[in-house]
Amino acid sequence: MAGKDRILVLGPTGAIGRHIVWASVKAGNPTYVLVRDTPPTVNKPRLVTAANPETREELLQNFQNSGVFLIQGDMNDHQSLVSAIKQVDVVICSFGRLLIEDQVKIIAAIKEAGNVKRFFPSEFGLDVDRQDAVEPVREVFEEKAKIRRIIEAEGVPYTYLCCHAFTGAYVTEADVGTYTVEAVNDPNTLNKAVHIRLPANYLSLNEIVSLWEKKIGKSIEKIYVPEEKVLKDIQELSFPNNYLLALYHSQQIRGDAVYEIDPTKDVEASQAYPHVKYTTVDEYLNQFL
């Protein structure tokens, strides 16, 4: 019996990447990460910090201690990227929003390497082909959709991972990692999108507030804000608040996470992998009591 596919994670120290690495190790997939000789110098606000307590150096050492293969290289060094890709079967990119368009370099390297069974581009959000977001989020979604079209035009085998909202409550970063690796090891996800919409967590904001009130045993004051005010705030706020509010608007007000699954091109993660024990919103909120 053949062994499990070898996985290369690009962006392994980020908010999602590190959890994909750990999920891959746990699943028994030979796991590789591409690391620079020196960390990137881009100074940008971090949208997710709570789930990532380790420093980059601590994390890489922990990876190595757990049997992860560290490959020195750089996305901007084509030959080092091709060399790394030739050592694996599956490439997963977890780059942040500023590097979405740079994935064309990965696609070119995959094409030259010629051995990749599957590419997971950096998605990990709302389905970019089913959204009606406003700026500044729309631009990022359009960049991701553009990468999808390039992947398809180049004939690169793919899986798109849509988790809608991974900042803890709706789906934890660790669960995103677990479902991603489940999709890697599932041939049915080839050239499809995998959607992480967990039944116990498929809640409106009002439902989450009601759940919290039950936990604390009292009602909390609620202020209802009209959509027009939300849109005005998005225009007036600076990053990252405008970006986060635009994401909220897309998901919770526009309802861009609500759609029917098409079995010819989609896989619902909770149905495909019912054995996965995910963290529920109810469980997640208990840590704040």
Side-chain angles (χ1 to χ4, degrees):
M1 181 178 177
K4 291 188 174 182
D5 284 340
R6 299 164 295 174
I7 297 175
L8 172 65
V9 180
L10 305 176
T13 61
I16 288 296
R18 64 183 64 199
H19 296 283
I20 295 172
V21 173
W22 289 129
S24 178
V25 171
K26 183 177 181 180
N29 290 79
T31 308
Y32 298 70
V33 300
L34 187 72
V35 295
R36 300 182 182 190
D37 291 328
T38 56
T41 56
V42 177
N43 184 18
K44 60 182 185 297
R46 297 180 64 185
L47 297 180
V48 180
T49 57
N52 310 307
E54 300 162 295
T55 66
R56 177 181 184 272
E57 292 71 24
E58 291 170 340
L59 185 60
L60 292 177
Q61 186 60 59
N62 288 338
F63 283 165
Q64 200 162 24
N65 293 344
S66 300
V68 175
F69 299 95
L70 274 58
I71 304 175
Q72 295 293 331
D74 193 302
M75 179 186 63
N76 296 311
D77 181 342
H78 179 72
Q79 288 308 315
S80 73
L81 192 54
V82 171
S83 176
I85 289 171
K86 284 184 175 180
Q87 300 178 51
V88 301
D89 305 296
V90 175
V91 177
I92 302 175
C93 181
S94 59
F95 289 163
R97 61 184 180 82
L98 298 179
L99 297 176
I100 295 300
E101 292 185 311
D102 283 351
Q103 290 179 106
V104 294
K105 301 172 184 176
I106 302 169
I107 296 169
I110 288 174
K111 291 284 288 184
E112 182 172 329
N115 61 293
V116 169
K117 297 179 182 179
R118 201 97 61 86
F119 176 43
F120 286 63
S122 185
E123 293 257 345
F124 308 107
L126 289 163
D127 188 334
V128 295
D129 287 334
R130 292 174 164 122
Q131 57 84 24
D132 187 27
V134 298
E135 297 294 358
V137 166
R138 175 180 287 275
E139 180 182 5
V140 176
F141 287 173
E142 289 176 349
E143 289 173 358
K144 290 184 176 182
K146 179 181 176 181
I147 292 297
R148 285 189 179 191
R149 304 292 86 83
I150 295 172
I151 289 169
E152 294 158 5
E154 292 292 337
V156 172
Y158 64 85
T159 298
Y160 305 138
L161 205 294
C162 306
C163 61
H164 305 292
F166 65 77
T167 48
Y170 288 101
V171 54
T172 67
E173 290 82 356
D175 286 339
V176 173
T178 297
Y179 281 113
T180 300
V181 176
E182 288 284 343
V184 168
N185 293 323
D186 180 1
N188 188 48
T189 63
L190 176 64
N191 294 338
K192 292 182 180 180
V194 175
H195 303 265
I196 306 178
R197 301 190 300 180
L198 308 176
N201 297 355
Y202 206 54
L203 305 171
S204 69
L205 186 60
N206 284 337
E207 289 171 321
I208 292 179
V209 170
S210 178
L211 179 60
W212 179 246
E213 288 178 329
K214 289 179 182 178
K215 286 184 176 295
I216 63 176
K218 63 180 180 180
S219 297
I220 58 177
E221 181 183 2
K222 305 172 190 68
I223 300 174
Y224 293 93
V225 180
E227 181 179 6
E228 294 75 15
K229 177 65 164 58
V230 174
L231 291 170
K232 184 173 183 292
D233 287 345
I234 291 170
Q235 292 178 342
E236 294 178 352
L237 290 170
S238 59
F239 186 85
N241 293 326
N242 61 341
Y243 188 88
L244 294 171
L245 190 56
L247 280 174
Y248 167 81
H249 176 265
S250 173
Q251 179 182 343
Q252 292 284 354
I253 297 179
R254 287 281 172 87
D256 286 341
V258 180
Y259 48 79
E260 294 295 324
I261 290 293
D262 180 350
T264 65
K265 63 179 182 178
D266 299 314
V267 173
E268 185 77 72
S270 63
Q271 296 176 6
Y273 318 116
H275 57 279
V276 173
K277 175 64 173 67
Y278 62 86
T279 301
T280 66
V281 170
D282 183 64
E283 293 166 338
Y284 182 82
L285 290 177
N286 286 338
Q287 67 182 299
F288 301 109
L289 293 174

